[in-house]
Amino acid sequence: MAGIYIHIPYCKTKCSYCDFFSGTNFGQQSELLDTMKAEIILQKDYLGGAAVSTIYFGGGTPSTLSVSQIQEIMNSVRENFRIEEGCEITLEANPEDLNLTYLEELKKSGINRLSMGIQSFDNEQLKFIRRRHTAETAVDAVKDAQTAGFDNISIDLIYGLPNQSLQSWKCQIDKALTLNVQHISAYGLTYEMGTLLWKQLQKGEVIQVDDETMNAMYAYLAEACTGNGFEQYEISNFAVPGYRSRHNSAYWKQQPYLGIGPSAHSYNMESRQWNVSSISKYCNLIVTGKCWYEKELLSEQDKYNDFVMVSLRTVEGIDLKKAKAIFGKKRTEYCLKSAEKYIEKKLLYINNESLRLTHAGILISDQIITELIMCGD
Ligand code: SF4
């Protein structure tokens, strides 16, 4: 089993909090799409013939592409890889780009999962973070997608937006839960260096939501989603049973994936590589037959760290038997020793020979993960 990620690095406008690789200049778009098709051919052996069970169009904003552009990329993928029957094919979309005709065409093209960046249902908040859509557009887009036959829809939300109160966040979740979607991803706002929002914070133009409120927001998210038929299967991800993101789950299970497009990452269990984060450099390097990515071979230590990092974020936690079998007794014992104080504080627990985060542990998961991975060779 393997996955393919396709990065579409275009957005019609830039959101103030975003540090993903994307730009608003569509000038080189057709050259880029041709180059991405060339990369698909160049990388056709990367997955070693493994069947592809998930394809994910991310960005940027893939919904800025026409359906025929998406189809051309899909055709190229199908011609060069073995695609599993029932492959999950996700497209990230901005609600503002969606209408019934486009959605019906998308569905016919084979896209069977939509991931909509809604972020908030509060128009003031949306405007402040420079999202293109309004709350009304977002709700209409979900309804249109359902009318077009999409029965696997995920929405993204952000909590801890500047000036957002706990009450306001509760309204966002409550609204999301009325939409009959199958999946909710919710992320706490981070101020990424260099973004407009980060600059506003430096100038004192925005006030960060305090930790206590952030924790209360997260607690409400988990409580409301799990109380409404969603299972929490990862720190930030909730799904109706049967609708976990297979693509993201494969990342967390460390299955191999190939990333296509500028800035896209690939992983094949022995190494990871990342494409150059520049549209013009990416096109020039590929067209002139030069290498367009950097590559890092993974040491045993890297592999162990990745394993701990991704496993602990999931509801299944770290499978201690598996850890011992793959990484040996010394690393597993280090992991358990580092976990002791967190187990005592009820931030971690062991169940079925797996080390898992409690709800309280999730709130400081970054700190816990950092301690568990600091094992020397
Ligand atoms: S639409 Fe998504 S990728 Fe584009 S700027 Fe906004 S958050 Fe970033």
Side-chain angles (χ1 to χ4, degrees), residues 5 24 68 94 97 119 127-128 141 147 163 196 202 238 252 283 286 325 349:
Y5 172 79
T24 53
S68 60
N94 186 309
D97 297 330
Q119 319 311 356
K127 206 167 152 195
F128 188 78
T147 306
N163 297 322
L196 175 61
Q202 302 307 306
F238 301 81
W252 302 322
C283 292
I286 290 185
Y349 68 106

PDB file of all heavy atoms in Angstrom, residues 5 24 68 94 97 119 127-128 141 147 163 196 202 238 252 283 286 325 349:
ATOM      1  N   TYR A   5       0.890  12.122  -3.140  1.00  0.00           N
ATOM      2  CA  TYR A   5       0.458  13.476  -2.781  1.00  0.00           C
ATOM      3  C   TYR A   5       0.813  14.410  -3.939  1.00  0.00           C
ATOM      4  O   TYR A   5       1.937  14.356  -4.463  1.00  0.00           O
ATOM      5  CB  TYR A   5       1.181  13.941  -1.494  1.00  0.00           C
ATOM      6  CG  TYR A   5       0.922  15.398  -1.193  1.00  0.00           C
ATOM      7  CD1 TYR A   5      -0.265  15.789  -0.594  1.00  0.00           C
ATOM      8  CD2 TYR A   5       1.837  16.389  -1.565  1.00  0.00           C
ATOM      9  CE1 TYR A   5      -0.530  17.135  -0.357  1.00  0.00           C
ATOM     10  CE2 TYR A   5       1.579  17.730  -1.327  1.00  0.00           C
ATOM     11  CZ  TYR A   5       0.380  18.097  -0.718  1.00  0.00           C
ATOM     12  OH  TYR A   5       0.117  19.419  -0.498  1.00  0.00           O
ATOM     13  N   THR A  24       0.300  33.515  -5.381  1.00  0.00           N
ATOM     14  CA  THR A  24      -0.923  34.013  -6.024  1.00  0.00           C
ATOM     15  C   THR A  24      -0.698  34.340  -7.502  1.00  0.00           C
ATOM     16  O   THR A  24      -1.610  34.793  -8.180  1.00  0.00           O
ATOM     17  CB  THR A  24      -1.423  35.273  -5.288  1.00  0.00           C
ATOM     18  OG1 THR A  24      -0.333  36.205  -5.229  1.00  0.00           O
ATOM     19  CG2 THR A  24      -1.883  34.957  -3.888  1.00  0.00           C
ATOM     20  N   SER A  68     -10.787  19.515 -15.974  1.00  0.00           N
ATOM     21  CA  SER A  68      -9.967  18.853 -17.009  1.00  0.00           C
ATOM     22  C   SER A  68      -8.482  18.872 -16.621  1.00  0.00           C
ATOM     23  O   SER A  68      -7.755  17.918 -16.906  1.00  0.00           O
ATOM     24  CB  SER A  68     -10.206  19.441 -18.398  1.00  0.00           C
ATOM     25  OG  SER A  68      -9.873  20.782 -18.388  1.00  0.00           O
ATOM     26  N   ASN A  94     -11.281  25.190  -1.607  1.00  0.00           N
ATOM     27  CA  ASN A  94     -11.733  26.410  -0.961  1.00  0.00           C
ATOM     28  C   ASN A  94     -13.216  26.570  -1.303  1.00  0.00           C
ATOM     29  O   ASN A  94     -13.582  26.509  -2.473  1.00  0.00           O
ATOM     30  CB  ASN A  94     -10.933  27.607  -1.514  1.00  0.00           C
ATOM     31  CG  ASN A  94     -11.268  28.887  -0.781  1.00  0.00           C
ATOM     32  OD1 ASN A  94     -12.436  29.242  -0.631  1.00  0.00           O
ATOM     33  ND2 ASN A  94     -10.249  29.589  -0.331  1.00  0.00           N
ATOM     34  N   ASP A  97     -14.507  28.410  -4.391  1.00  0.00           N
ATOM     35  CA  ASP A  97     -14.311  27.900  -5.768  1.00  0.00           C
ATOM     36  C   ASP A  97     -15.401  26.920  -6.184  1.00  0.00           C
ATOM     37  O   ASP A  97     -15.422  26.466  -7.331  1.00  0.00           O
ATOM     38  CB  ASP A  97     -12.968  27.142  -5.862  1.00  0.00           C
ATOM     39  CG  ASP A  97     -11.785  28.049  -5.603  1.00  0.00           C
ATOM     40  OD1 ASP A  97     -11.885  29.252  -5.901  1.00  0.00           O
ATOM     41  OD2 ASP A  97     -10.772  27.547  -5.081  1.00  0.00           O
ATOM     42  N   GLN A 119     -12.362  26.732   8.215  1.00  0.00           N
ATOM     43  CA  GLN A 119     -11.642  27.435   9.297  1.00  0.00           C
ATOM     44  C   GLN A 119     -12.547  28.092  10.335  1.00  0.00           C
ATOM     45  O   GLN A 119     -12.268  28.048  11.516  1.00  0.00           O
ATOM     46  CB  GLN A 119     -10.627  28.475   8.756  1.00  0.00           C
ATOM     47  CG  GLN A 119      -9.810  28.057   7.549  1.00  0.00           C
ATOM     48  CD  GLN A 119      -9.135  26.688   7.652  1.00  0.00           C
ATOM     49  OE1 GLN A 119      -9.221  26.042   8.684  1.00  0.00           O
ATOM     50  NE2 GLN A 119      -8.509  26.206   6.581  1.00  0.00           N
ATOM     51  N   LYS A 127     -12.729  37.261   7.698  1.00  0.00           N
ATOM     52  CA  LYS A 127     -12.191  38.457   7.042  1.00  0.00           C
ATOM     53  C   LYS A 127     -10.830  38.815   7.653  1.00  0.00           C
ATOM     54  O   LYS A 127      -9.879  39.135   6.937  1.00  0.00           O
ATOM     55  CB  LYS A 127     -13.180  39.614   7.265  1.00  0.00           C
ATOM     56  CG  LYS A 127     -13.118  40.679   6.211  1.00  0.00           C
ATOM     57  CD  LYS A 127     -14.328  41.562   6.353  1.00  0.00           C
ATOM     58  CE  LYS A 127     -13.985  42.939   5.852  1.00  0.00           C
ATOM     59  NZ  LYS A 127     -14.967  43.935   6.264  1.00  0.00           N
ATOM     60  N   PHE A 128     -10.750  38.709   8.963  1.00  0.00           N
ATOM     61  CA  PHE A 128      -9.518  39.097   9.641  1.00  0.00           C
ATOM     62  C   PHE A 128      -8.323  38.238   9.206  1.00  0.00           C
ATOM     63  O   PHE A 128      -7.215  38.738   9.032  1.00  0.00           O
ATOM     64  CB  PHE A 128      -9.694  39.029  11.171  1.00  0.00           C
ATOM     65  CG  PHE A 128      -8.512  39.595  11.895  1.00  0.00           C
ATOM     66  CD1 PHE A 128      -8.350  40.974  12.005  1.00  0.00           C
ATOM     67  CD2 PHE A 128      -7.537  38.767  12.426  1.00  0.00           C
ATOM     68  CE1 PHE A 128      -7.223  41.503  12.629  1.00  0.00           C
ATOM     69  CE2 PHE A 128      -6.412  39.286  13.049  1.00  0.00           C
ATOM     70  CZ  PHE A 128      -6.260  40.660  13.155  1.00  0.00           C
ATOM     71  N   ALA A 141     -21.415  25.436   0.055  1.00  0.00           N
ATOM     72  CA  ALA A 141     -20.476  24.531  -0.626  1.00  0.00           C
ATOM     73  C   ALA A 141     -20.626  23.102  -0.100  1.00  0.00           C
ATOM     74  O   ALA A 141     -20.608  22.143  -0.876  1.00  0.00           O
ATOM     75  CB  ALA A 141     -19.041  25.017  -0.424  1.00  0.00           C
ATOM     76  N   THR A 147     -25.176  17.370  -2.534  1.00  0.00           N
ATOM     77  CA  THR A 147     -26.115  17.205  -3.654  1.00  0.00           C
ATOM     78  C   THR A 147     -25.411  16.554  -4.843  1.00  0.00           C
ATOM     79  O   THR A 147     -25.989  15.737  -5.557  1.00  0.00           O
ATOM     80  CB  THR A 147     -26.669  18.597  -4.096  1.00  0.00           C
ATOM     81  OG1 THR A 147     -27.212  19.224  -2.952  1.00  0.00           O
ATOM     82  CG2 THR A 147     -27.729  18.465  -5.169  1.00  0.00           C
ATOM     83  N   ASN A 163      -8.703  37.139  19.253  1.00  0.00           N
ATOM     84  CA  ASN A 163      -9.956  37.627  19.859  1.00  0.00           C
ATOM     85  C   ASN A 163     -11.063  36.583  19.940  1.00  0.00           C
ATOM     86  O   ASN A 163     -12.182  36.905  20.305  1.00  0.00           O
ATOM     87  CB  ASN A 163     -10.518  38.854  19.124  1.00  0.00           C
ATOM     88  CG  ASN A 163      -9.584  40.020  19.202  1.00  0.00           C
ATOM     89  OD1 ASN A 163      -8.956  40.232  20.240  1.00  0.00           O
ATOM     90  ND2 ASN A 163      -9.446  40.754  18.107  1.00  0.00           N
ATOM     91  N   LEU A 196       1.893  37.196   7.720  1.00  0.00           N
ATOM     92  CA  LEU A 196       1.309  38.501   8.060  1.00  0.00           C
ATOM     93  C   LEU A 196       0.806  38.487   9.504  1.00  0.00           C
ATOM     94  O   LEU A 196       1.005  39.451  10.251  1.00  0.00           O
ATOM     95  CB  LEU A 196       0.155  38.803   7.082  1.00  0.00           C
ATOM     96  CG  LEU A 196      -0.629  40.071   7.380  1.00  0.00           C
ATOM     97  CD1 LEU A 196       0.248  41.305   7.309  1.00  0.00           C
ATOM     98  CD2 LEU A 196      -1.806  40.200   6.413  1.00  0.00           C
ATOM     99  N   GLN A 202       3.841  40.633  16.315  1.00  0.00           N
ATOM    100  CA  GLN A 202       5.059  41.349  16.720  1.00  0.00           C
ATOM    101  C   GLN A 202       4.773  42.825  16.985  1.00  0.00           C
ATOM    102  O   GLN A 202       5.332  43.425  17.886  1.00  0.00           O
ATOM    103  CB  GLN A 202       6.153  41.256  15.633  1.00  0.00           C
ATOM    104  CG  GLN A 202       6.581  39.850  15.247  1.00  0.00           C
ATOM    105  CD  GLN A 202       6.992  39.017  16.433  1.00  0.00           C
ATOM    106  OE1 GLN A 202       7.840  39.425  17.207  1.00  0.00           O
ATOM    107  NE2 GLN A 202       6.360  37.875  16.602  1.00  0.00           N
ATOM    108  N   PHE A 238     -11.000  13.890  13.653  1.00  0.00           N
ATOM    109  CA  PHE A 238     -12.200  13.216  14.141  1.00  0.00           C
ATOM    110  C   PHE A 238     -12.973  12.699  12.927  1.00  0.00           C
ATOM    111  O   PHE A 238     -13.113  13.415  11.932  1.00  0.00           O
ATOM    112  CB  PHE A 238     -13.084  14.212  14.905  1.00  0.00           C
ATOM    113  CG  PHE A 238     -12.382  14.825  16.084  1.00  0.00           C
ATOM    114  CD1 PHE A 238     -11.503  15.907  15.911  1.00  0.00           C
ATOM    115  CD2 PHE A 238     -12.561  14.312  17.356  1.00  0.00           C
ATOM    116  CE1 PHE A 238     -10.835  16.459  16.992  1.00  0.00           C
ATOM    117  CE2 PHE A 238     -11.901  14.865  18.444  1.00  0.00           C
ATOM    118  CZ  PHE A 238     -11.033  15.930  18.273  1.00  0.00           C
ATOM    119  N   TRP A 252       0.695   8.221   9.153  1.00  0.00           N
ATOM    120  CA  TRP A 252       0.939   7.902  10.573  1.00  0.00           C
ATOM    121  C   TRP A 252       1.354   6.450  10.754  1.00  0.00           C
ATOM    122  O   TRP A 252       1.934   6.093  11.777  1.00  0.00           O
ATOM    123  CB  TRP A 252      -0.307   8.250  11.405  1.00  0.00           C
ATOM    124  CG  TRP A 252      -0.680   9.699  11.259  1.00  0.00           C
ATOM    125  CD1 TRP A 252       0.188  10.753  11.167  1.00  0.00           C
ATOM    126  CD2 TRP A 252      -1.983  10.264  11.139  1.00  0.00           C
ATOM    127  NE1 TRP A 252      -0.506  11.932  11.010  1.00  0.00           N
ATOM    128  CE2 TRP A 252      -1.839  11.660  10.991  1.00  0.00           C
ATOM    129  CE3 TRP A 252      -3.280   9.737  11.158  1.00  0.00           C
ATOM    130  CZ2 TRP A 252      -2.923  12.535  10.850  1.00  0.00           C
ATOM    131  CZ3 TRP A 252      -4.355  10.590  11.026  1.00  0.00           C
ATOM    132  CH2 TRP A 252      -4.179  11.979  10.877  1.00  0.00           C
ATOM    133  N   CYS A 283      10.564  23.731 -12.282  1.00  0.00           N
ATOM    134  CA  CYS A 283      10.369  23.512 -13.733  1.00  0.00           C
ATOM    135  C   CYS A 283      11.730  23.450 -14.442  1.00  0.00           C
ATOM    136  O   CYS A 283      11.982  22.530 -15.228  1.00  0.00           O
ATOM    137  CB  CYS A 283       9.513  24.624 -14.341  1.00  0.00           C
ATOM    138  SG  CYS A 283       7.807  24.580 -13.773  1.00  0.00           S
ATOM    139  N   ILE A 286      13.773  20.157 -13.694  1.00  0.00           N
ATOM    140  CA  ILE A 286      13.236  18.942 -14.322  1.00  0.00           C
ATOM    141  C   ILE A 286      13.424  19.006 -15.843  1.00  0.00           C
ATOM    142  O   ILE A 286      13.875  18.035 -16.465  1.00  0.00           O
ATOM    143  CB  ILE A 286      11.751  18.731 -13.932  1.00  0.00           C
ATOM    144  CG1 ILE A 286      11.696  18.349 -12.448  1.00  0.00           C
ATOM    145  CG2 ILE A 286      11.092  17.641 -14.797  1.00  0.00           C
ATOM    146  CD1 ILE A 286      10.341  17.973 -11.895  1.00  0.00           C
ATOM    147  N   ALA A 325      10.371  -4.963  18.483  1.00  0.00           N
ATOM    148  CA  ALA A 325      10.752  -5.826  17.354  1.00  0.00           C
ATOM    149  C   ALA A 325      11.551  -5.041  16.305  1.00  0.00           C
ATOM    150  O   ALA A 325      12.528  -5.552  15.741  1.00  0.00           O
ATOM    151  CB  ALA A 325       9.500  -6.429  16.719  1.00  0.00           C
ATOM    152  N   TYR A 349      -0.751   6.596  29.290  1.00  0.00           N
ATOM    153  CA  TYR A 349      -1.150   5.339  29.923  1.00  0.00           C
ATOM    154  C   TYR A 349      -0.815   4.189  28.986  1.00  0.00           C
ATOM    155  O   TYR A 349      -0.595   4.394  27.775  1.00  0.00           O
ATOM    156  CB  TYR A 349      -2.639   5.345  30.291  1.00  0.00           C
ATOM    157  CG  TYR A 349      -3.584   5.331  29.113  1.00  0.00           C
ATOM    158  CD1 TYR A 349      -4.302   4.174  28.777  1.00  0.00           C
ATOM    159  CD2 TYR A 349      -3.788   6.466  28.338  1.00  0.00           C
ATOM    160  CE1 TYR A 349      -5.185   4.169  27.697  1.00  0.00           C
ATOM    161  CE2 TYR A 349      -4.670   6.460  27.256  1.00  0.00           C
ATOM    162  CZ  TYR A 349      -5.367   5.305  26.947  1.00  0.00           C
ATOM    163  OH  TYR A 349      -6.224   5.290  25.885  1.00  0.00           O
TER     164      TYR A 349
END
